[in-house]
Amino acid sequence: MAKTLRRAAPPSAGFSPDAAMVLNAIARPILAIDGANRIAYLNQAAEQFFEASASSAIGRDLSELLPSDSPVFSLIAQVRADRHSITEYGVAIETPKIGAHLVSIDASAMVEAPDGVVLSLHERSIAGKIDRQLVHRGAARSVTAMAAMLAHELKNPLSGIRGAAQLLEQGASDEDRALTRLICDETDRIVALVDRMEMFSDDRPIAREPVNIHEVLEHVRRVARSGFARSLRFVERYDPSLPPVYGNRDLLTQALLNLVKNAAEAVSEDDGEIVLSTGYRQGVRLAVSGSGRRVDLPLVIGVQDNGPGIPEDLRPHLFDPFVTTKVGGKGLGLALVAKVVGDHGGVVECDGRPRRTLFRLMLPMAPEGGQRP
Ligand SMILES: Nc1ncnc2c1ncn2[C@@H]1O[C@H](COP(=O)(O)OP(=O)(O)OP(=O)(O)O)[C@@H](O)[C@H]1O
Ligand SMILES: [Mg+2]
């Protein structure tokens, strides 16, 4: 492991880090496993994560760090068999020593070492997002009961108020008509809000079929172009051979519309650009908690804008309902995206850098969609 890194340019004077130095500088736990599942290397972050020193761990069996029924072992076996990298999201690692952690794991085969596998664990980053996403679902559920109650208790009286205002309007003076209009407009606004909240109250499994996501994106783009994103430039980076998503067309349309609307609201009018992209990424999976099952999520759909990015303090709560920085915003758009993607068994990620704010949905392929051509 302690090999000097090969460099393209001449080394800068006095600085030639070896591989171990570089790996120790990485805050993510990294382990190398040999063909017999023995630990061949661990960086300092891995020592901390597993609460084991390199000197005591190297040469030992991985099952001394992890329970032997850990999903990590089947992940390693699959990487050996397939010889390509796999990213698995939502893997629970739990031992009496280190407690419970939810991580995502990048597992890659080592080209030079037969059956050697490198594991890189990501705690709190993407895994944290998923963890939060599960919490979002909880948050969405607490909104559920309230939404159902509000819908029931508010919508009927509101339609009564609206009807009465319309009746009054008929015999009203111009001055009073402005007031009856106000009553109608405001009741419409409340009904629209209650309608949006009602979407969260549906906990039934969604109806799914193979969906051509390019048709959905095209529809979303057309709706945006004819309304809120009239002056913005759209760039499409599609993988035309993408297999169908196993999804619900209406819900995916709603989720993508919300992402495009947020992007349009974030960018400036004169050089605003929204990039819609699709792609196929092999080896992305989500561990279904408690079942030992994994869902493959090879279809990646991106909505990117060149706006100012997501404020740092907003990020931990980005997908929570009622989180908004907009005057008149409801903070329900991203909560809906999280709910829709969650109902599809997928993952939503956000990379909120200035000039390159990217929301990425990772979704499953339709079972009949067959293999990637
Ligand atoms: N593309 C983006 N660029 C910058 N900030 C964003 C972006 N998307 C979302 N945000 C931030 O996240 C917040 C929450 O977004 P969300 O869509 O949930 O609610 P909203 O847009 O404020 O209201 P609405 O309910 O009308 O969608 C926004 O108020 C904004 O601050
Ligand atoms: Mg929004």
Side-chain angles (χ1 to χ4, degrees):
M1 267 287 151
K3 243 170 48 186
T4 304
L5 288 185
R6 222 176 286 145
R7 335 168 46 107
S12 54
F15 185 67
S16 51
D18 66 26
M21 273 165 77
V22 175
L23 289 165
N24 281 336
I26 296 175
R28 292 173 174 164
I30 295 173
L31 296 98
I33 309 299
D34 72 10
N37 279 354
R38 282 182 306 244
I39 298 159
Y41 173 81
L42 69 174
N43 70 349
Q44 279 173 1
E47 289 181 90
Q48 278 168 17
F49 183 88
F50 288 106
E51 296 180 21
S53 67
S55 56
S56 69
I58 287 175
R60 307 273 282 275
D61 204 283
L62 184 61
S63 61
E64 294 186 31
L65 290 188
L66 294 172
S68 51
D69 61 348
S70 166
V72 176
F73 290 99
S74 59
L75 178 64
I76 293 172
Q78 185 154 11
V79 168
R80 277 194 195 119
D82 297 357
R83 299 261 158 217
H84 64 68
S85 313
I86 296 178
T87 304
E88 189 154 315
Y89 291 86
V91 181
I93 290 188
E94 188 168 3
T95 72
K97 193 168 173 189
I98 65 167
H101 297 257
L102 190 66
V103 297
S104 65
I105 303 181
D106 288 327
S108 318
M110 273 191 258
V111 183
E112 296 89 349
D115 292 335
V117 173
V118 178
L119 303 176
S120 161
L121 276 53
H122 307 213
E123 211 188 4
R124 247 179 275 118
S125 58
I126 291 166
K129 285 177 204 157
I130 292 171
D131 198 13
R132 281 201 291 278
Q133 219 185 79
L134 301 176
V135 178
H136 307 145
R137 283 186 219 168
R141 243 176 261 130
S142 67
V143 180
T144 301
M146 194 169 73
M149 187 269 289
L150 273 180
H152 187 254
E153 295 301 316
L154 282 183
K155 273 170 118 179
N156 289 341
L158 280 173
S159 75
I161 293 171
R162 199 184 192 288
Q166 276 176 323
L167 280 177
L168 281 176
E169 193 171 311
Q170 289 167 4
S173 66
D174 281 354
E175 205 178 325
D176 288 346
R177 198 164 297 133
L179 296 177
T180 52
R181 274 281 95 216
L182 185 81
I183 296 172
C184 290
D185 290 350
E186 290 300 286
T187 45
D188 286 349
R189 208 167 59 81
I190 302 171
V191 170
L193 173 60
V194 173
D195 281 343
R196 281 185 77 186
M197 288 180 54
E198 253 185 318
M199 284 182 217
F200 291 98
S201 65
D202 203 343
D203 255 355
R204 290 169 302 178
I206 56 171
R208 296 209 270 172
E209 56 176 354
V211 174
N212 179 337
I213 200 70
H214 296 134
E215 284 173 16
V216 175
L217 284 165
E218 186 49 31
H219 175 73
V220 166
R221 194 181 63 91
R222 236 180 299 123
V223 172
R225 279 313 288 255
S226 62
F228 57 83
R230 205 179 296 268
S231 64
L232 304 179
R233 195 168 57 249
F234 276 84
V235 177
E236 282 147 28
R237 293 201 191 120
Y238 295 162
D239 173 350
S241 64
L242 201 75
V245 172
Y246 188 42
N248 181 298
R249 181 183 298 267
D250 291 341
L251 292 174
L252 289 172
T253 306
Q254 265 174 9
L256 287 164
L257 254 179
N258 269 291
L259 290 179
V260 170
K261 186 153 186 290
N262 281 347
E265 285 163 353
V267 299
S268 78
E269 286 219 348
D270 25 300
D271 80 332
E273 180 181 276
I274 299 176
V275 182
L276 304 175
S277 61
T278 62
Y280 189 92
R281 210 165 84 190
Q282 213 163 22
V284 180
R285 326 195 292 192
L286 177 65
V288 180
S289 69
S291 71
R293 218 161 51 82
R294 278 105 170 188
V295 189
D296 281 310
L297 303 173
L299 309 183
V300 186
I301 297 136
V303 177
Q304 184 183 318
D305 67 70
N306 59 354
I310 312 277
E312 195 65 47
D313 55 343
L314 205 65
R315 289 181 196 192
H317 314 287
L318 195 59
F319 290 92
D320 291 351
F322 308 120
V323 169
T324 181
T325 57
K326 297 172 193 167
V327 181
K330 304 289 180 297
L332 287 175
L334 290 179
L336 177 95
V337 172
K339 163 130 172 70
V340 167
V341 174
D343 287 350
H344 279 79
V347 171
V348 53
E349 254 181 25
C350 168
D351 191 355
R353 275 180 275 174
R355 305 285 304 167
R356 194 186 161 281
T357 308
L358 173 62
F359 284 84
R360 206 187 279 123
L361 312 186
M362 286 171 268
L363 294 170
M365 199 162 72
E368 298 299 301
Q371 298 299 306
R372 175 171 174 77

